[in-house]
PDB file of all heavy atoms in Angstrom:
ATOM      1  N   ILE T   1     -13.338-113.850 116.804  1.00 97.00           N
ATOM      2  CA  ILE T   1     -12.212-114.643 116.401  1.00 97.00           C
ATOM      3  C   ILE T   1     -11.175-114.700 117.562  1.00 97.00           C
ATOM      4  O   ILE T   1     -10.767-113.664 118.078  1.00 97.00           O
ATOM      5  CB  ILE T   1     -11.557-114.165 115.100  1.00 97.00           C
ATOM      6  CG1 ILE T   1     -12.590-114.296 113.995  1.00 97.00           C
ATOM      7  CG2 ILE T   1     -10.284-114.848 114.811  1.00 97.00           C
ATOM      8  CD1 ILE T   1     -12.084-113.839 112.607  1.00 97.00           C
ATOM      9  N   TYR T   2     -10.813-115.913 117.937  1.00 98.00           N
ATOM     10  CA  TYR T   2      -9.864-116.164 118.955  1.00 98.00           C
ATOM     11  C   TYR T   2      -8.582-116.843 118.334  1.00 98.00           C
ATOM     12  O   TYR T   2      -8.661-117.498 117.319  1.00 98.00           O
ATOM     13  CB  TYR T   2     -10.387-117.127 120.048  1.00 98.00           C
ATOM     14  CG  TYR T   2     -11.557-116.544 120.836  1.00 98.00           C
ATOM     15  CD1 TYR T   2     -12.801-116.338 120.250  1.00 98.00           C
ATOM     16  CD2 TYR T   2     -11.380-116.219 122.211  1.00 98.00           C
ATOM     17  CE1 TYR T   2     -13.835-115.843 121.036  1.00 98.00           C
ATOM     18  CE2 TYR T   2     -12.421-115.694 122.913  1.00 98.00           C
ATOM     19  CZ  TYR T   2     -13.644-115.544 122.375  1.00 98.00           C
ATOM     20  OH  TYR T   2     -14.705-115.057 123.105  1.00 98.00           O
ATOM     21  N   HIS T   3      -7.465-116.659 119.038  1.00 98.00           N
ATOM     22  CA  HIS T   3      -6.302-117.514 118.764  1.00 98.00           C
ATOM     23  C   HIS T   3      -6.038-118.365 120.002  1.00 98.00           C
ATOM     24  O   HIS T   3      -6.191-117.898 121.140  1.00 98.00           O
ATOM     25  CB  HIS T   3      -5.079-116.682 118.469  1.00 98.00           C
ATOM     26  CG  HIS T   3      -5.089-116.110 117.070  1.00 98.00           C
ATOM     27  ND1 HIS T   3      -4.006-115.420 116.505  1.00 98.00           N
ATOM     28  CD2 HIS T   3      -6.038-116.092 116.113  1.00 98.00           C
ATOM     29  CE1 HIS T   3      -4.251-115.093 115.260  1.00 98.00           C
ATOM     30  NE2 HIS T   3      -5.528-115.455 114.981  1.00 98.00           N
ATOM     31  N   ALA T   4      -5.722-119.635 119.766  1.00 98.00           N
ATOM     32  CA  ALA T   4      -5.440-120.560 120.829  1.00 98.00           C
ATOM     33  C   ALA T   4      -4.257-121.434 120.477  1.00 98.00           C
ATOM     34  O   ALA T   4      -4.090-121.785 119.284  1.00 98.00           O
ATOM     35  CB  ALA T   4      -6.677-121.431 121.124  1.00 98.00           C
ATOM     36  N   VAL T   5      -3.439-121.757 121.434  1.00 98.00           N
ATOM     37  CA  VAL T   5      -2.383-122.771 121.236  1.00 98.00           C
ATOM     38  C   VAL T   5      -2.870-124.009 121.968  1.00 98.00           C
ATOM     39  O   VAL T   5      -3.195-123.964 123.191  1.00 98.00           O
ATOM     40  CB  VAL T   5      -1.009-122.289 121.791  1.00 98.00           C
ATOM     41  CG1 VAL T   5      -0.027-123.438 121.758  1.00 98.00           C
ATOM     42  CG2 VAL T   5      -0.487-121.159 120.995  1.00 98.00           C
ATOM     43  N   VAL T   6      -3.027-125.110 121.253  1.00 98.00           N
ATOM     44  CA  VAL T   6      -3.546-126.345 121.824  1.00 98.00           C
ATOM     45  C   VAL T   6      -2.431-127.431 121.703  1.00 98.00           C
ATOM     46  O   VAL T   6      -1.520-127.337 120.907  1.00 98.00           O
ATOM     47  CB  VAL T   6      -4.786-126.809 121.064  1.00 98.00           C
ATOM     48  CG1 VAL T   6      -5.895-125.718 121.135  1.00 98.00           C
ATOM     49  CG2 VAL T   6      -4.471-127.168 119.608  1.00 98.00           C
ATOM     50  N   GLN T   7      -2.621-128.431 122.584  1.00 98.00           N
ATOM     51  CA  GLN T   7      -1.597-129.522 122.584  1.00 98.00           C
ATOM     52  C   GLN T   7      -1.842-130.387 121.359  1.00 98.00           C
ATOM     53  O   GLN T   7      -2.992-130.645 120.954  1.00 98.00           O
ATOM     54  CB  GLN T   7      -1.756-130.341 123.847  1.00 98.00           C
ATOM     55  CG  GLN T   7      -1.303-129.570 125.075  1.00 98.00           C
ATOM     56  CD  GLN T   7      -1.448-130.380 126.368  1.00 98.00           C
ATOM     57  OE1 GLN T   7      -1.409-129.813 127.455  1.00 98.00           O
ATOM     58  NE2 GLN T   7      -1.620-131.700 126.227  1.00 98.00           N
ATOM     59  N   GLY T   8      -0.776-130.830 120.757  1.00 97.00           N
ATOM     60  CA  GLY T   8      -0.843-131.748 119.625  1.00 97.00           C
ATOM     61  C   GLY T   8      -1.266-131.042 118.313  1.00 97.00           C
ATOM     62  O   GLY T   8      -1.169-129.823 118.177  1.00 97.00           O
ATOM     63  N   HIS T   9      -1.769-131.898 117.395  1.00 98.00           N
ATOM     64  CA  HIS T   9      -2.150-131.393 116.045  1.00 98.00           C
ATOM     65  C   HIS T   9      -3.515-131.855 115.680  1.00 98.00           C
ATOM     66  O   HIS T   9      -3.698-133.099 115.507  1.00 98.00           O
ATOM     67  CB  HIS T   9      -1.078-131.877 115.033  1.00 98.00           C
ATOM     68  CG  HIS T   9       0.267-131.565 115.393  1.00 98.00           C
ATOM     69  ND1 HIS T   9       1.195-132.530 115.723  1.00 98.00           N
ATOM     70  CD2 HIS T   9       0.921-130.375 115.555  1.00 98.00           C
ATOM     71  CE1 HIS T   9       2.355-131.992 116.020  1.00 98.00           C
ATOM     72  NE2 HIS T   9       2.234-130.641 115.912  1.00 98.00           N
ATOM     73  N   PRO T  10      -4.509-130.984 115.661  1.00 97.00           N
ATOM     74  CA  PRO T  10      -5.877-131.452 115.304  1.00 97.00           C
ATOM     75  C   PRO T  10      -5.913-132.069 113.956  1.00 97.00           C
ATOM     76  O   PRO T  10      -5.139-131.699 113.014  1.00 97.00           O
ATOM     77  CB  PRO T  10      -6.631-130.104 115.267  1.00 97.00           C
ATOM     78  CG  PRO T  10      -5.922-129.191 116.156  1.00 97.00           C
ATOM     79  CD  PRO T  10      -4.435-129.515 115.966  1.00 97.00           C
ATOM     80  N   ASP T  11      -6.750-133.096 113.812  1.00 96.00           N
ATOM     81  CA  ASP T  11      -6.899-133.810 112.571  1.00 96.00           C
ATOM     82  C   ASP T  11      -8.415-133.905 112.250  1.00 96.00           C
ATOM     83  O   ASP T  11      -9.103-134.566 113.034  1.00 96.00           O
ATOM     84  CB  ASP T  11      -6.347-135.198 112.706  1.00 96.00           C
ATOM     85  CG  ASP T  11      -6.381-136.003 111.389  1.00 96.00           C
ATOM     86  OD1 ASP T  11      -6.664-135.371 110.342  1.00 96.00           O
ATOM     87  OD2 ASP T  11      -6.192-137.222 111.441  1.00 96.00           O
ATOM     88  N   PRO T  12      -8.865-133.193 111.216  1.00 97.00           N
ATOM     89  CA  PRO T  12      -8.098-132.464 110.227  1.00 97.00           C
ATOM     90  C   PRO T  12      -7.497-131.129 110.804  1.00 97.00           C
ATOM     91  O   PRO T  12      -7.935-130.728 111.858  1.00 97.00           O
ATOM     92  CB  PRO T  12      -9.159-132.190 109.136  1.00 97.00           C
ATOM     93  CG  PRO T  12     -10.435-132.143 109.902  1.00 97.00           C
ATOM     94  CD  PRO T  12     -10.314-133.141 110.950  1.00 97.00           C
ATOM     95  N   LEU T  13      -6.644-130.537 110.002  1.00 97.00           N
ATOM     96  CA  LEU T  13      -5.998-129.310 110.449  1.00 97.00           C
ATOM     97  C   LEU T  13      -6.929-128.124 110.497  1.00 97.00           C
ATOM     98  O   LEU T  13      -6.666-127.149 111.157  1.00 97.00           O
ATOM     99  CB  LEU T  13      -4.831-128.959 109.488  1.00 97.00           C
ATOM    100  CG  LEU T  13      -3.645-130.002 109.506  1.00 97.00           C
ATOM    101  CD1 LEU T  13      -2.651-129.554 108.477  1.00 97.00           C
ATOM    102  CD2 LEU T  13      -3.074-130.092 110.903  1.00 97.00           C
ATOM    103  N   ALA T  14      -8.093-128.218 109.761  1.00 98.00           N
ATOM    104  CA  ALA T  14      -9.156-127.184 109.842  1.00 98.00           C
ATOM    105  C   ALA T  14     -10.444-127.943 109.833  1.00 98.00           C
ATOM    106  O   ALA T  14     -10.624-128.970 109.182  1.00 98.00           O
ATOM    107  CB  ALA T  14      -9.020-126.275 108.648  1.00 98.00           C
ATOM    108  N   GLY T  15     -11.392-127.438 110.596  1.00 98.00           N
ATOM    109  CA  GLY T  15     -12.700-128.094 110.619  1.00 98.00           C
ATOM    110  C   GLY T  15     -13.691-127.384 111.548  1.00 98.00           C
ATOM    111  O   GLY T  15     -13.451-126.278 112.030  1.00 98.00           O
ATOM    112  N   THR T  16     -14.747-128.081 111.807  1.00 98.00           N
ATOM    113  CA  THR T  16     -15.847-127.551 112.666  1.00 98.00           C
ATOM    114  C   THR T  16     -16.159-128.576 113.754  1.00 98.00           C
ATOM    115  O   THR T  16     -16.288-129.815 113.440  1.00 98.00           O
ATOM    116  CB  THR T  16     -17.122-127.295 111.782  1.00 98.00           C
ATOM    117  OG1 THR T  16     -16.791-126.272 110.876  1.00 98.00           O
ATOM    118  CG2 THR T  16     -18.249-126.846 112.734  1.00 98.00           C
ATOM    119  N   ILE T  17     -16.297-128.123 114.968  1.00 98.00           N
ATOM    120  CA  ILE T  17     -16.734-128.978 116.057  1.00 98.00           C
ATOM    121  C   ILE T  17     -18.161-128.585 116.406  1.00 98.00           C
ATOM    122  O   ILE T  17     -18.441-127.445 116.803  1.00 98.00           O
ATOM    123  CB  ILE T  17     -15.806-128.823 117.292  1.00 98.00           C
ATOM    124  CG1 ILE T  17     -14.329-129.134 116.967  1.00 98.00           C
ATOM    125  CG2 ILE T  17     -16.256-129.724 118.411  1.00 98.00           C
ATOM    126  CD1 ILE T  17     -13.338-128.705 117.976  1.00 98.00           C
ATOM    127  N   ASP T  18     -19.090-129.443 116.246  1.00 98.00           N
ATOM    128  CA  ASP T  18     -20.541-129.232 116.493  1.00 98.00           C
ATOM    129  C   ASP T  18     -20.945-130.181 117.576  1.00 98.00           C
ATOM    130  O   ASP T  18     -21.247-131.378 117.293  1.00 98.00           O
ATOM    131  CB  ASP T  18     -21.320-129.384 115.183  1.00 98.00           C
ATOM    132  CG  ASP T  18     -22.746-128.984 115.398  1.00 98.00           C
ATOM    133  OD1 ASP T  18     -23.216-128.821 116.527  1.00 98.00           O
ATOM    134  OD2 ASP T  18     -23.460-128.889 114.383  1.00 98.00           O
ATOM    135  N   ALA T  19     -20.873-129.808 118.833  1.00 98.00           N
ATOM    136  CA  ALA T  19     -21.183-130.669 119.957  1.00 98.00           C
ATOM    137  C   ALA T  19     -21.776-129.865 121.079  1.00 98.00           C
ATOM    138  O   ALA T  19     -21.250-128.843 121.414  1.00 98.00           O
ATOM    139  CB  ALA T  19     -19.882-131.367 120.411  1.00 98.00           C
ATOM    140  N   PRO T  20     -22.920-130.333 121.661  1.00 97.00           N
ATOM    141  CA  PRO T  20     -23.598-129.561 122.700  1.00 97.00           C
ATOM    142  C   PRO T  20     -22.751-129.474 123.986  1.00 97.00           C
ATOM    143  O   PRO T  20     -22.086-130.452 124.383  1.00 97.00           O
ATOM    144  CB  PRO T  20     -24.884-130.340 122.922  1.00 97.00           C
ATOM    145  CG  PRO T  20     -24.569-131.740 122.451  1.00 97.00           C
ATOM    146  CD  PRO T  20     -23.599-131.609 121.369  1.00 97.00           C
ATOM    147  N   ILE T  21     -22.862-128.312 124.635  1.00 96.00           N
ATOM    148  CA  ILE T  21     -22.080-128.064 125.887  1.00 96.00           C
ATOM    149  C   ILE T  21     -23.070-127.838 127.029  1.00 96.00           C
ATOM    150  O   ILE T  21     -24.004-127.014 126.913  1.00 96.00           O
ATOM    151  CB  ILE T  21     -21.117-126.931 125.706  1.00 96.00           C
ATOM    152  CG1 ILE T  21     -19.978-127.306 124.770  1.00 96.00           C
ATOM    153  CG2 ILE T  21     -20.531-126.517 127.066  1.00 96.00           C
ATOM    154  CD1 ILE T  21     -18.994-126.214 124.488  1.00 96.00           C
ATOM    155  N   GLY T  22     -22.818-128.514 128.141  1.00 91.00           N
ATOM    156  CA  GLY T  22     -23.585-128.260 129.367  1.00 91.00           C
ATOM    157  C   GLY T  22     -22.735-128.405 130.577  1.00 91.00           C
ATOM    158  O   GLY T  22     -21.507-128.599 130.495  1.00 91.00           O
ATOM    159  N   ARG T  23     -23.344-128.329 131.722  1.00 84.00           N
ATOM    160  CA  ARG T  23     -22.608-128.450 133.007  1.00 84.00           C
ATOM    161  C   ARG T  23     -22.000-129.811 133.055  1.00 84.00           C
ATOM    162  O   ARG T  23     -22.546-130.810 132.706  1.00 84.00           O
ATOM    163  CB  ARG T  23     -23.566-128.259 134.160  1.00 84.00           C
ATOM    164  CG  ARG T  23     -24.069-126.844 134.326  1.00 84.00           C
ATOM    165  CD  ARG T  23     -23.116-126.015 135.109  1.00 84.00           C
ATOM    166  NE  ARG T  23     -23.477-124.608 135.157  1.00 84.00           N
ATOM    167  CZ  ARG T  23     -22.807-123.624 135.784  1.00 84.00           C
ATOM    168  NH1 ARG T  23     -21.709-123.947 136.406  1.00 84.00           N
ATOM    169  NH2 ARG T  23     -23.208-122.411 135.801  1.00 84.00           N
ATOM    170  N   HIS T  24     -20.740-129.870 133.621  1.00 88.00           N
ATOM    171  CA  HIS T  24     -20.050-131.099 133.818  1.00 88.00           C
ATOM    172  C   HIS T  24     -20.781-131.923 134.837  1.00 88.00           C
ATOM    173  O   HIS T  24     -21.119-131.430 135.941  1.00 88.00           O
ATOM    174  CB  HIS T  24     -18.596-130.843 134.235  1.00 88.00           C
ATOM    175  CG  HIS T  24     -17.673-132.022 134.201  1.00 88.00           C
ATOM    176  ND1 HIS T  24     -17.805-133.075 135.062  1.00 88.00           N
ATOM    177  CD2 HIS T  24     -16.670-132.308 133.341  1.00 88.00           C
ATOM    178  CE1 HIS T  24     -16.892-134.000 134.777  1.00 88.00           C
ATOM    179  NE2 HIS T  24     -16.210-133.535 133.723  1.00 88.00           N
ATOM    180  N   PRO T  25     -21.040-133.201 134.601  1.00 83.00           N
ATOM    181  CA  PRO T  25     -21.813-133.963 135.583  1.00 83.00           C
ATOM    182  C   PRO T  25     -21.133-134.187 136.882  1.00 83.00           C
ATOM    183  O   PRO T  25     -21.785-134.423 137.945  1.00 83.00           O
ATOM    184  CB  PRO T  25     -22.054-135.342 134.894  1.00 83.00           C
ATOM    185  CG  PRO T  25     -20.988-135.412 133.837  1.00 83.00           C
ATOM    186  CD  PRO T  25     -20.749-133.959 133.382  1.00 83.00           C
ATOM    187  N   GLY T  26     -19.801-133.961 136.942  1.00 78.00           N
ATOM    188  CA  GLY T  26     -19.068-134.249 138.194  1.00 78.00           C
ATOM    189  C   GLY T  26     -18.522-132.977 138.818  1.00 78.00           C
ATOM    190  O   GLY T  26     -17.774-133.100 139.796  1.00 78.00           O
ATOM    191  N   SER T  27     -18.794-131.832 138.258  1.00 73.00           N
ATOM    192  CA  SER T  27     -18.286-130.586 138.805  1.00 73.00           C
ATOM    193  C   SER T  27     -19.153-129.399 138.554  1.00 73.00           C
ATOM    194  O   SER T  27     -19.687-129.240 137.426  1.00 73.00           O
ATOM    195  CB  SER T  27     -16.890-130.234 138.174  1.00 73.00           C
ATOM    196  OG  SER T  27     -16.443-129.002 138.507  1.00 73.00           O
ATOM    197  N   SER T  28     -19.393-128.562 139.545  1.00 63.00           N
ATOM    198  CA  SER T  28     -20.277-127.394 139.415  1.00 63.00           C
ATOM    199  C   SER T  28     -19.501-126.244 138.752  1.00 63.00           C
ATOM    200  O   SER T  28     -20.095-125.218 138.375  1.00 63.00           O
ATOM    201  CB  SER T  28     -20.781-126.959 140.750  1.00 63.00           C
ATOM    202  OG  SER T  28     -19.767-126.623 141.651  1.00 63.00           O
ATOM    203  N   TRP T  29     -18.130-126.351 138.542  1.00 75.00           N
ATOM    204  CA  TRP T  29     -17.364-125.298 138.044  1.00 75.00           C
ATOM    205  C   TRP T  29     -16.942-125.499 136.597  1.00 75.00           C
ATOM    206  O   TRP T  29     -16.545-124.611 135.862  1.00 75.00           O
ATOM    207  CB  TRP T  29     -16.067-125.071 138.850  1.00 75.00           C
ATOM    208  CG  TRP T  29     -16.395-124.754 140.262  1.00 75.00           C
ATOM    209  CD1 TRP T  29     -16.257-125.576 141.372  1.00 75.00           C
ATOM    210  CD2 TRP T  29     -16.855-123.523 140.777  1.00 75.00           C
ATOM    211  NE1 TRP T  29     -16.615-124.917 142.508  1.00 75.00           N
ATOM    212  CE2 TRP T  29     -17.030-123.679 142.190  1.00 75.00           C
ATOM    213  CE3 TRP T  29     -17.171-122.297 140.196  1.00 75.00           C
ATOM    214  CZ2 TRP T  29     -17.433-122.646 143.016  1.00 75.00           C
ATOM    215  CZ3 TRP T  29     -17.633-121.259 141.015  1.00 75.00           C
ATOM    216  CH2 TRP T  29     -17.722-121.428 142.401  1.00 75.00           C
ATOM    217  N   LYS T  30     -17.092-126.769 136.088  1.00 88.00           N
ATOM    218  CA  LYS T  30     -16.639-127.106 134.765  1.00 88.00           C
ATOM    219  C   LYS T  30     -17.817-127.311 133.847  1.00 88.00           C
ATOM    220  O   LYS T  30     -18.960-127.540 134.245  1.00 88.00           O
ATOM    221  CB  LYS T  30     -15.783-128.384 134.770  1.00 88.00           C
ATOM    222  CG  LYS T  30     -14.444-128.234 135.527  1.00 88.00           C
ATOM    223  CD  LYS T  30     -13.713-129.519 135.640  1.00 88.00           C
ATOM    224  CE  LYS T  30     -13.341-130.137 134.313  1.00 88.00           C
ATOM    225  NZ  LYS T  30     -12.578-131.364 134.458  1.00 88.00           N
ATOM    226  N   PHE T  31     -17.482-127.358 132.566  1.00 92.00           N
ATOM    227  CA  PHE T  31     -18.489-127.693 131.505  1.00 92.00           C
ATOM    228  C   PHE T  31     -17.942-128.866 130.701  1.00 92.00           C
ATOM    229  O   PHE T  31     -16.776-129.191 130.771  1.00 92.00           O
ATOM    230  CB  PHE T  31     -18.747-126.429 130.675  1.00 92.00           C
ATOM    231  CG  PHE T  31     -19.458-125.335 131.362  1.00 92.00           C
ATOM    232  CD1 PHE T  31     -18.754-124.485 132.234  1.00 92.00           C
ATOM    233  CD2 PHE T  31     -20.802-125.170 131.284  1.00 92.00           C
ATOM    234  CE1 PHE T  31     -19.371-123.495 132.866  1.00 92.00           C
ATOM    235  CE2 PHE T  31     -21.452-124.183 131.969  1.00 92.00           C
ATOM    236  CZ  PHE T  31     -20.755-123.357 132.795  1.00 92.00           C
ATOM    237  N   ALA T  32     -18.855-129.457 129.900  1.00 95.00           N
ATOM    238  CA  ALA T  32     -18.447-130.652 129.152  1.00 95.00           C
ATOM    239  C   ALA T  32     -19.360-130.800 128.007  1.00 95.00           C
ATOM    240  O   ALA T  32     -20.487-130.205 127.906  1.00 95.00           O
ATOM    241  CB  ALA T  32     -18.505-131.882 130.063  1.00 95.00           C
ATOM    242  N   VAL T  33     -18.928-131.600 126.980  1.00 97.00           N
ATOM    243  CA  VAL T  33     -19.833-131.994 125.925  1.00 97.00           C
ATOM    244  C   VAL T  33     -20.794-133.047 126.490  1.00 97.00           C
ATOM    245  O   VAL T  33     -20.364-134.096 127.015  1.00 97.00           O
ATOM    246  CB  VAL T  33     -19.080-132.599 124.742  1.00 97.00           C
ATOM    247  CG1 VAL T  33     -19.949-133.221 123.734  1.00 97.00           C
ATOM    248  CG2 VAL T  33     -18.156-131.514 124.082  1.00 97.00           C
TER     249      VAL T  33
END
C-alpha cells in the first residue's frame, strides 16, 4: 500500500486502473502504457 499526492482529482474518486506497462517507445529510461 502506497500513499501518493497526484495533480487534480481522479474521476471516479476510487477505482482500478488496468493497463499494460512497457518500455516507453521514445525513451530507454521511462515506461508507458
Side-chain angles (χ1 to χ4, degrees):
I1 293 180
Y2 293 71
H3 282 188
V5 173
V6 302
Q7 292 180 195
H9 308 112
D11 184 13
L13 295 177
T16 296
I17 303 170
D18 186 348
I21 292 176
R23 290 277 174 177
H24 193 289
S27 170
S28 60
W29 301 105
K30 293 174 62 175
F31 292 80
V33 171

